[in-house]
């Protein structure tokens, strides 16, 4: 997968004149090894070389979306030549994440360069774009969900939760659609996911919902990623680790009963706030939040929800917080089904934004729309006689002549082996059962009649009045829709549709 591209052009004579005015410019741009190559060259070849490296490094900074500055400096990049004489980047800041493909072309007094950064993950886990199986991501459904939930929750800000490859939906596609839907920020689970968003060009606030080791506070500050403060000890260690001039943005985590992350002791919480207020030169105290454990349930779960709210008020209300500090409690479930009794500063929404029911049918249906559909084309169709067994283990045997369709989706794509016997949808909305075991890369369906190769089959999604949802699959698998969605393999191409 292509992470980013950058192009740049420079006038060679302008670069030469710049060096005549500022001789140190050569050493600013070139590394020691590149300077040695520059010194070996004479005349116009020397200036072509310098202008080419200057332009190339500008193009690289554009490819990562930051420009030359905090994320990349001139000497972070170094070029050399292959045995065939082609220029190559032998050093760049993200060489463990991205493979750099570069081009340097000279025409008259101009040099033109391009940089394409390819995600290394796509080299180890190729996206199967030539196989007729794919996920469709509806930008209009996502935009509807954002607007609907924000209004329903009376929220001032909508934070889009895009951790775990956007709940399996695909980070590039969901982030693109979410930005178009005018979300106010993003939330992820890990530091690396946050850095990916910055490299993708996201300038909105990005919250890290998981605990980042305190000794990595410098990276958080450099990338301006809002870290959760899970304890006073963590905060003190993070402050000691900071070396960059930028402030570390933080959000205090309050544990009101989830038990995973956060402060639940009143004295520790007060001391944490006081430490933040005393360290205004090092930290940007942005927010304070909590997480509900039972907001997606009913019955006795309401009592625990209320218990968490009471704990929140007991811990947070006595604090003398700046007016700029955002209070955030509502996840998808609480935003969809619970009236908040404090300021609606911000909701953090994952499942609801993707349009699947976080309560798996326990609570009242809301008017969200599924964002994801899984589709594939028939790659083979044949008729078999009665008494023929189908797929591994011979677990299914035909009782009459049957048209069999082969669908190029299997459990390696995240379509679980236990879904044998589930239905898929034909183009006219008819249901067709999966017969025999789901294999690693393929599954078989019983067709009511002969269908041509290339017929589109819907495994998750709507056709006419019929629909197969993530909740439907989760119910068959005795799990939750989150697990089904996040299990969808990266090798499935993701396509944005309207």
């Amino acid at each position: 997968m292509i992470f980013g591209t950058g192009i740049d052009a420079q006038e060679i004579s302008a670069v030469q004149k710049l060096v005549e005015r500022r001789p140190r410019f050569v050493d600013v741009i070139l590394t020691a090894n590149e300077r040695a190559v520059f010194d070996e060259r004479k005349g116009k070849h020397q200036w072509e070389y310098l202008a080419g490296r200057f332009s190339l490094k500008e193009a690289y900074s554009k490819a990562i979306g930051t420009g030359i500055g905090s994320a990349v400096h001139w000497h972070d990049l170094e070029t050399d030549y292959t045995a065939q004489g082609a220029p190559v980047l032998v050093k760049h800041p993200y060489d463990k994440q991205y493979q750099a493909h570069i081009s340097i072309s000279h025409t008259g007094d101009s040099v033109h360069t391009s940089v394409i950064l390819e995600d290394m993950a796509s080299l180890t886990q190729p996206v199967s774009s030539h196989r007729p199986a794919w996920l469709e991501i509806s930008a209009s459904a996502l935009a509807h969900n954002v607007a609907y939930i924000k209004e329903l929750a009376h929220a001032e800000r909508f934070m889009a939760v895009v951790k775990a490859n956007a709940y399996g939906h695909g980070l590039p596609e969901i982030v693109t659609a979410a930005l178009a839907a005018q979300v106010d920020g993003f939330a992820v689970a890990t530091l690396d996911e946050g850095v990916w968003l910055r490299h993708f060009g996201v300038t909105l606030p990005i919250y890290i919902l998981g605990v980042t080791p305190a000794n990595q506070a410098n990276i958080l500050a450099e990338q301006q990623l809002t870290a959760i403060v899970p304890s006073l000890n963590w905060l003190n260690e993070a402050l000691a680790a900071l070396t960059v001039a930028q402030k570390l943005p933080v959000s205090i985590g309050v544990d009101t009963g989830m038990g995973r992350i956060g402060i639940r002791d009143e004295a520790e919480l007060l001391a944490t706030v006081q430490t933040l207020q005393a360290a205004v030169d090092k930290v940007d105290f942005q927010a304070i939040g909590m997480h509900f454990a039972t907001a997606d349930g009913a019955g006795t779960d309401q009592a625990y929800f209320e218990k968490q709210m009471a704990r929140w008020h007991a811990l947070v209300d006595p604090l003398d917080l700046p007016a700029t500090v955002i209070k955030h409690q509502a996840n998808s479930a609480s935003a969809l089904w619970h009236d908040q009794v404090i300021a609606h500063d911000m909701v953090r929404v994952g499942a609801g934004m993707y349009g699947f029911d976080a309560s798996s049918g326990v609570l009242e249906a809301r008017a969200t729309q599924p964002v994801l559909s899984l589709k594939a084309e028939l790659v083979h169709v044949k008729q078999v006689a009665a008494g023929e067994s189908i797929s591994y283990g011979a677990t299914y045997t035909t009782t009459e002549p049957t048209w069999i369709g082969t669908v190029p989706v299997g459990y390696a794509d995240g379509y679980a082996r236990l879904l044998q016997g589930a239905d898929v949808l034909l183009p006219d909305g008819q249901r067709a059962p999966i017969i025999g075991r789901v294999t690693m890369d393929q599954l078989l369906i019983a067709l009511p009649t002969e269908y041509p190769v290339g017929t589109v089959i819907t495994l998750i999604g709507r056709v006419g009045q019929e629909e197969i949802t993530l909740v439907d699959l989760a119910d068959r698998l005795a799990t939750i829709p989150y697990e089904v969605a996040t299990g969808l393999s990266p090798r499935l191409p993701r396509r944005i549709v309207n």
Side-chain angles (χ1 to χ4, degrees):
M1 181 181 73
I2 302 302
F3 167 78
T5 62
I7 59 174
D8 187 76
Q10 299 289 335
E11 290 184 359
I12 298 170
S13 58
V15 173
Q16 181 178 358
K17 291 177 182 177
L18 178 59
V19 174
E20 291 170 354
R21 295 194 307 272
R22 296 172 51 199
R24 289 190 64 254
F25 180 76
V26 178
D27 292 318
V28 169
I29 302 301
L30 302 181
T31 66
N33 290 332
E34 290 172 329
R35 178 63 198 245
V37 176
F38 173 81
D39 290 338
E40 290 176 356
R41 301 195 173 205
K42 304 299 179 186
K44 69 173 185 177
H45 298 298
Q46 191 177 52
W47 303 118
E48 286 177 350
Y49 179 85
L50 177 61
R53 272 63 200 166
F54 176 41
S55 179
L56 180 73
K57 295 180 184 187
E58 285 280 8
Y60 181 95
S61 73
K62 295 173 183 176
I64 64 170
T66 64
I68 296 292
S70 61
V72 60
H73 303 281
W74 300 112
H75 285 196
D76 293 337
L77 304 160
E78 184 171 281
T79 61
D80 201 348
Y81 293 96
T82 66
Q84 293 74 33
V88 62
L89 269 175
V90 293
K91 182 179 77 170
H92 62 97
Y94 303 103
D95 56 2
K96 298 294 188 295
Q97 297 169 262
Y98 311 115
Q99 180 172 337
H101 307 276
I102 70 172
S103 173
I104 305 175
S105 299
H106 301 89
T107 304
D109 190 40
S110 298
V111 59
H112 301 267
T113 62
S114 69
V115 174
I116 299 174
L117 297 179
E118 184 177 8
D119 192 339
M120 296 290 281
S122 70
L123 301 178
T124 57
Q125 171 62 71
V127 177
S128 298
S129 57
H130 292 87
R131 181 182 61 155
W134 65 94
L135 293 175
E136 291 183 356
I137 305 301
S138 172
S140 61
L142 186 140
H144 164 83
N145 295 340
V146 169
Y148 172 75
I149 296 172
K150 192 172 182 179
E151 181 178 2
L152 184 68
H154 306 291
E156 296 179 15
R157 301 173 185 83
F158 186 104
M159 174 172 287
V161 183
V162 295
K163 60 183 180 177
N165 196 25
Y167 286 48
H169 290 59
L171 259 179
E173 294 76 17
I174 289 297
V175 171
T176 299
L179 289 170
Q182 298 184 325
V183 300
D184 301 286
F186 292 92
V188 293
T190 69
L191 170 61
D192 297 281
E193 290 174 331
V195 171
W196 186 98
L197 288 175
R198 286 289 183 239
H199 291 171
F200 193 69
V202 172
T203 58
L204 295 175
I206 298 172
Y207 281 51
I208 311 297
L209 299 180
V211 177
T212 303
N215 61 10
Q216 296 173 11
N218 212 41
I219 304 173
L220 291 163
E222 182 180 272
Q223 297 294 328
Q224 285 297 283
L225 302 172
T226 303
I228 192 168
V229 178
S231 68
L232 179 59
N233 285 340
W234 184 96
L235 177 59
N236 287 328
E237 290 176 15
L239 290 172
L242 284 172
T243 58
V244 297
Q246 293 165 310
K247 291 183 178 181
L248 172 66
V250 299
S251 173
I252 296 178
V254 179
D255 180 11
T256 63
M258 184 68 173
R260 295 189 308 188
I261 293 171
I263 302 168
R264 63 167 58 198
D265 178 77
E266 183 177 347
E268 182 183 0
L269 183 59
L270 176 61
T272 301
V273 171
Q274 291 172 339
T275 300
L276 288 172
Q277 292 173 335
V280 292
D281 57 328
K282 285 190 170 185
V283 293
D284 179 10
F285 183 13
Q286 294 184 343
I288 185 169
M290 59 165 281
H291 195 68
F292 288 107
T294 63
D296 56 358
T300 57
D301 290 334
Q302 178 65 21
Y304 197 76
F305 176 88
E306 292 172 356
K307 181 179 180 179
Q308 285 194 261
M309 283 303 307
R311 284 181 172 175
W312 168 267
H313 285 297
L315 286 165
V316 176
D317 288 357
L319 299 174
D320 183 18
L321 298 175
T324 55
V325 172
I326 296 169
K327 296 176 181 177
H328 57 101
Q329 305 80 31
N331 55 6
S332 289
S334 50
L336 287 167
W337 290 295
H338 296 271
D339 290 332
Q340 300 299 294
V341 293
I342 56 177
H344 305 89
D345 291 350
M346 182 169 69
V347 290
R348 310 180 310 268
V349 182
M353 182 178 72
Y354 302 109
F356 61 80
D357 182 357
S359 79
S360 294
V362 173
L363 299 176
E364 176 188 0
R366 295 300 192 188
T368 58
Q369 300 174 3
V371 170
L372 175 148
S373 298
L374 172 57
K375 299 182 179 181
E377 295 178 4
L378 292 176
V379 293
H380 187 64
V381 176
K382 63 175 174 291
Q383 190 177 44
V384 300
E388 293 291 336
S389 294
I390 302 297
S391 193
Y392 287 121
T395 60
Y396 180 91
T397 302
T398 59
T399 58
E400 60 183 359
T402 305
W403 285 99
I404 306 295
T406 302
V407 180
V409 172
Y411 59 77
D413 299 295
Y415 197 84
R417 191 167 178 262
L418 292 175
L419 289 172
Q420 176 179 346
D423 290 336
V424 299
L425 299 178
L426 302 175
D428 56 5
Q430 285 191 80
R431 289 178 175 264
I434 297 171
I435 57 174
R437 287 180 179 165
V438 175
T439 66
M440 184 180 290
D441 310 300
Q442 301 172 83
L443 57 84
L444 301 170
I445 60 175
L447 298 168
T449 187
E450 182 180 9
Y451 279 74
V453 168
T455 298
V456 175
I457 305 300
T458 299
L459 295 94
I460 302 172
R462 176 180 290 275
V463 179
Q465 299 302 310
E466 294 293 321
E467 186 176 20
I468 297 171
T469 68
L470 287 167
V471 173
D472 292 334
L473 299 189
D475 287 346
R476 290 189 67 94
L477 296 168
T479 186
I480 56 176
Y482 299 77
E483 185 174 6
V484 178
T486 57
L488 294 170
S489 171
R491 78 175 181 177
L492 284 166
R494 273 75 171 164
R495 303 174 184 174
I496 296 181
V497 298
N498 191 39

